[in-house]
């Protein structure tokens, strides 16, 4: 079957052309004049193509007049100029073939407004709605822009493992991977679980980050990036958290914190420009239906020079603001979304890159800074990129390349250096300054579309007590 995409037909279909289209019925209505009008969408765009079915078609009474929302059909015919408002062409069908069945009374997505909460219960069908079709197309454009950005700059795409024995963040919020029978767990003589009898002969987990493995390739090939699923067993039900999400993590050899920040800024601008250019119809929909400022926000971010300031300076600004914060601001405490949004939306009115965070609130692999005048405690060469509306969108750092410093940090966090022997080898053999960052795909899609809940920007959300599909 040579099928024309409705997106292409609506954009430049020629009157008189004979075409075949396939898709899912949005609405269907028979007329008194012996015709039926079918609005068909195939997911290639927001719009629908009107199919005009003549009452003389052989299956008109048996099938066509019974079509309802959700039915799938293939229609062949001739494109003609449309007298209807809002469309230039319509398809006058020589045949309309119903594929499969559709129970109109049970089909859950009727031509009316449904809440996002309801649509999460039918996540297998929600891509057929305007909102979720648009989210999928924007997510696709962002994913392609990510690869395009790094490939144009000579980065190598590396697939890091999903199953790992390492906890990159040291937070302990990992999903365990095991083949042991849970009701008959083998035990050691000390009464602990005997992982030697497990599939990998050790405790194994789903990864929270591909960074550590990514560093090994950066320290051999220069510039690399990973882009894949990551997992966090955090018992959080907020609109900003998922248990399964996709991360983009570049790593650059011979790179410091300033170079890391430069790349992060250019990266975000490239993503936002691409979406504005390639998803105009979908972005117009989000701007009208979800957040009336989203296009202006993206354009502003894409054309702004990001502000750069240290964590110590940011704390000073927040403390002098006179605001009554829900989370008090003190040097050494992590910045919260309310603080980040104040800096981006009210203080500077543009994106902000905050650097040199207190060492105590950051991960073991971040490079220790030299002491600075006026700074109350030790800091690391870390950065967070903040944007309006959501706050942090990128987190990164220069990595600690000095063996003695990173071993000291690992021990100080009650971790065992021997568990990271291969990671420490990078510091033993040919160590170089290197840096990287992580961008959560879903948080980026959420920012770009204005969607309020992160569970609505991933096809099948995984969250506490939620793995239905």
């Amino acid at each position: 079957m040579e099928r024309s995409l409705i997106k292409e037909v609506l954009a430049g279909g020629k009157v008189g052309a004979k075409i075949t289209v396939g898709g899912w019925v949005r609405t269907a209505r028979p007329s008194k004049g012996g015709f039926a009008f079918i609005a068909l969408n195939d997911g290639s765009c927001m719009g629908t193509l009107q199919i005009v079915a003549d009452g003389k078609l052989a299956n008109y009474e048996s099938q066509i007049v019974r079509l309802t929302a959700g039915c799938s059909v293939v229609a062949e015919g001739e494109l003609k100029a449309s007298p209807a408002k809002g469309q230039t062409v319509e398809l006058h069908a020589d045949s309309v073939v119903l594929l499969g069945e559709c129970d109109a009374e049970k089909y859950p997505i009727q031509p009316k407004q449904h809440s996002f909460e309801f649509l999460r219960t039918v996540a297998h069908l929600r891509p057929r709605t305007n909102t979720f079709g648009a989210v999928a197309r924007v997510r696709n454009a962002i994913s392609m822009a990510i690869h395009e950005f790094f490939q144009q700059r000579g980065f190598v795409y590396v697939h890091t493992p999903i199953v790992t024995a390492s906890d990159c963040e040291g937070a302990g919020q990992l999903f365990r991977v095991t083949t042991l029978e849970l009701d008959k767990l083998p035990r050691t003589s000390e009464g602990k679980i005997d992982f030697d009898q497990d599939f990998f002969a050790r405790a194994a987990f789903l990864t929270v980050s591909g960074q550590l493995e990514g560093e090994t390739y950066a320290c051999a090939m220069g510039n690399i990036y990973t882009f894949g699923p990551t997992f966090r067993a955090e018992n959080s039900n907020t609109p900003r958290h998922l248990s399964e999400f996709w991360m983009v993590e570049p790593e650059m050899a011979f790179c410091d914190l300033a170079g890391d920040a430069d790349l992060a800024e250019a990266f975000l601008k490239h993503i936002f420009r691409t979406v504005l250019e390639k998803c105009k119809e979908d972005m117009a929909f989000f701007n009208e239906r979800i957040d009336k400022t989203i296009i202006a926000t993206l354009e502003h971010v894409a054309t702004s020079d990001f502000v750069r300031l240290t964590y110590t300076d940011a704390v000073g600004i927040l403390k002098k603001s006179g605001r009554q914060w829900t989370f008090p601001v003190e040097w050494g405490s992590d910045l919260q979304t309310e603080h980040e949004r104040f800096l981006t939306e009210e203080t500077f009115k543009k994106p902000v890159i905050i650097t040199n965070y207190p060492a105590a609130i950051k991960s073991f692999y971040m490079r220790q800074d030299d002491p600075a005048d006026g700074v109350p405690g030790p800091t690391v060469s870390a950065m967070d990129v903040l944007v309006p509306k959501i706050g942090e969108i990128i987190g990164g750092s220069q990595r600690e390349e000095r063996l003695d410093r990173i071993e000291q940090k690992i021990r100080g966090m009650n971790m065992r250096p021997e568990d990271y022997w291969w990671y420490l080898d990078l510091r033993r053999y040919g160590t170089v300054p290197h840096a990287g960052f992580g961008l959560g795909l879903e948080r980026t899609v959420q920012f770009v579309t204005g969607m309020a809940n992160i569970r609505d920007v991933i096809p099948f959300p995984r969250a506490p007590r939620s793995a239905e599909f």
Side-chain angles (χ1 to χ4, degrees):
M1 178 193 305
E2 266 198 48
R3 180 171 69 96
S4 297
L5 296 179
I6 288 176
K7 173 183 178 180
E8 297 168 353
V9 174
L10 294 178
K14 295 182 179 180
V15 171
K18 290 280 189 177
I19 66 167
T20 300
V21 294
W24 294 268
V25 174
R26 287 284 176 84
T27 60
R29 56 182 179 87
S31 71
K32 294 181 180 178
F35 291 88
F37 299 96
I38 305 163
L40 198 68
N41 179 270
D42 66 358
S44 64
C45 65
M46 186 79 64
T48 59
L49 177 65
Q50 178 162 282
I51 313 296
V52 181
D54 195 309
K56 296 177 182 178
L57 293 175
N59 63 339
Y60 184 81
E61 293 295 337
S62 62
Q63 290 186 338
I64 294 175
V65 296
R66 302 176 187 275
L67 291 176
T68 60
C71 291
S72 53
V73 301
V74 171
E76 299 179 13
E78 181 181 348
L79 278 182
K80 294 189 177 182
S82 176
K85 184 179 179 181
Q87 57 187 27
T88 57
V89 293
E90 60 188 20
L91 182 67
H92 287 239
D94 297 325
S95 72
V96 177
V97 178
L98 172 66
L99 305 176
E101 301 178 6
C102 189
D103 190 327
E105 294 183 359
K106 293 183 179 179
Y107 184 63
I109 302 179
Q110 295 298 320
K112 64 178 184 178
Q113 188 168 353
H114 296 283
S115 71
F116 292 153
E117 289 81 4
F118 167 74
L119 290 172
R120 280 177 220 135
T121 69
V122 288
H124 59 305
L125 296 174
R126 68 178 182 172
R128 300 187 189 183
T129 66
N130 282 335
T131 300
F132 289 93
V135 166
R137 288 185 291 270
V138 168
R139 184 183 172 108
N140 171 71
I142 291 173
S143 298
M144 293 306 297
I146 288 166
H147 286 293
E148 180 182 67
F149 177 85
F150 290 115
Q151 292 295 323
Q152 287 176 349
R153 286 161 175 78
F155 281 63
V156 176
Y157 180 30
V158 173
H159 299 103
T160 52
I162 291 175
V163 176
T164 179
S166 303
D167 179 3
C168 177
E169 300 299 329
Q173 297 168 328
L174 301 105
F175 288 103
R176 189 177 297 280
V177 175
T178 183
T179 57
L180 296 176
E181 295 185 40
L182 299 184
D183 58 345
K184 294 185 292 185
L185 290 174
R187 301 282 179 176
T188 65
S189 57
E190 293 83 16
K192 296 180 179 180
I193 297 174
D194 185 4
F195 286 108
D196 192 54
Q197 298 187 42
D198 206 349
F199 186 88
F200 294 107
R202 65 178 61 212
F205 311 91
L206 295 180
T207 185
V208 298
S209 169
Q211 178 203 312
L212 302 189
E213 292 87 354
E215 284 185 52
T216 68
Y217 271 74
C219 290
M221 307 189 74
N223 294 343
I224 66 96
Y225 70 105
T226 74
F227 186 8
T230 53
F231 308 85
R232 191 70 61 85
E234 183 178 356
N235 189 17
S236 175
N237 283 288
T238 77
R240 290 165 52 89
H241 289 90
L242 288 167
S243 301
E244 177 186 326
F245 50 98
W246 284 65
M247 286 286 290
V248 185
E249 297 175 290
E251 290 290 330
M252 295 80 69
F254 307 99
C255 182
D256 59 12
L257 184 62
D260 202 24
D262 289 342
L263 189 81
E265 179 173 343
F267 181 46
L268 286 177
K269 289 178 176 179
H270 176 80
I271 290 174
F272 300 153
R273 289 191 193 109
T274 299
V275 170
L276 290 169
E277 176 186 345
K278 295 187 176 180
C279 301
K280 292 180 180 178
E281 181 187 40
D282 294 320
M283 289 309 302
F285 172 84
F286 290 121
N287 203 71
E288 178 185 351
R289 301 289 186 89
I290 305 297
D291 180 348
K292 297 188 182 299
T293 66
I294 194 62
I295 289 179
T297 298
L298 292 180
E299 289 174 341
H300 178 62
V301 172
T303 56
S304 296
D305 291 329
F306 291 14
V307 173
R308 303 192 189 191
L309 74 160
T310 66
Y311 168 89
T312 301
D313 290 339
V315 168
I317 291 171
L318 294 168
K319 294 186 79 167
K320 292 176 183 177
S321 67
R323 290 289 183 93
Q324 293 295 316
W325 302 107
T326 303
F327 296 93
V329 178
E330 293 295 338
W331 200 97
S333 62
D334 211 351
L335 299 183
Q336 303 297 319
T337 302
E338 61 173 337
H339 309 139
E340 296 169 343
R341 292 190 61 176
F342 176 80
L343 293 169
T344 57
E345 297 172 23
E346 299 186 47
T347 305
F348 297 106
K349 295 181 170 54
K350 60 172 63 176
V352 175
I353 302 178
I354 297 181
T355 62
N356 307 98
Y357 279 80
I361 62 173
K362 290 297 182 179
S363 299
F364 73 92
Y365 50 75
M366 297 185 177
R367 193 180 199 275
Q368 185 175 331
D369 292 327
D370 294 326
D373 291 340
V375 177
T379 61
V380 289
S381 296
M383 69 165 188
D384 283 343
V385 183
L386 316 179
V387 292
K389 298 179 183 287
I390 67 168
E392 180 196 344
I393 195 169
I394 281 178
S397 73
Q398 183 174 340
R399 315 312 191 189
E400 181 58 81
E401 84 279 12
R402 298 164 295 187
L403 179 61
D404 58 335
R405 297 291 185 90
I406 197 165
E407 284 184 328
Q408 182 181 17
K409 190 65 178 290
I410 288 174
R411 290 192 179 95
M413 296 184 69
N414 295 318
M415 300 161 63
R416 302 193 317 161
E418 54 267 33
D419 292 339
Y420 295 86
W421 65 270
W422 56 271
Y423 185 68
L424 297 178
D425 271 359
L426 301 180
R427 281 77 183 164
R428 293 188 181 98
Y429 311 124
T431 186
V432 297
H434 58 289
F437 62 78
L439 171 84
L441 177 62
E442 284 72 29
R443 187 165 293 188
T444 306
V445 178
Q446 191 178 9
F447 175 64
V448 167
T449 59
M451 295 291 283
N453 196 311
I454 201 167
R455 299 186 192 192
D456 295 327
V457 298
I458 190 169
F460 299 100
R462 296 291 181 256
R465 306 185 68 82
S466 177
E468 180 71 19
F469 298 94

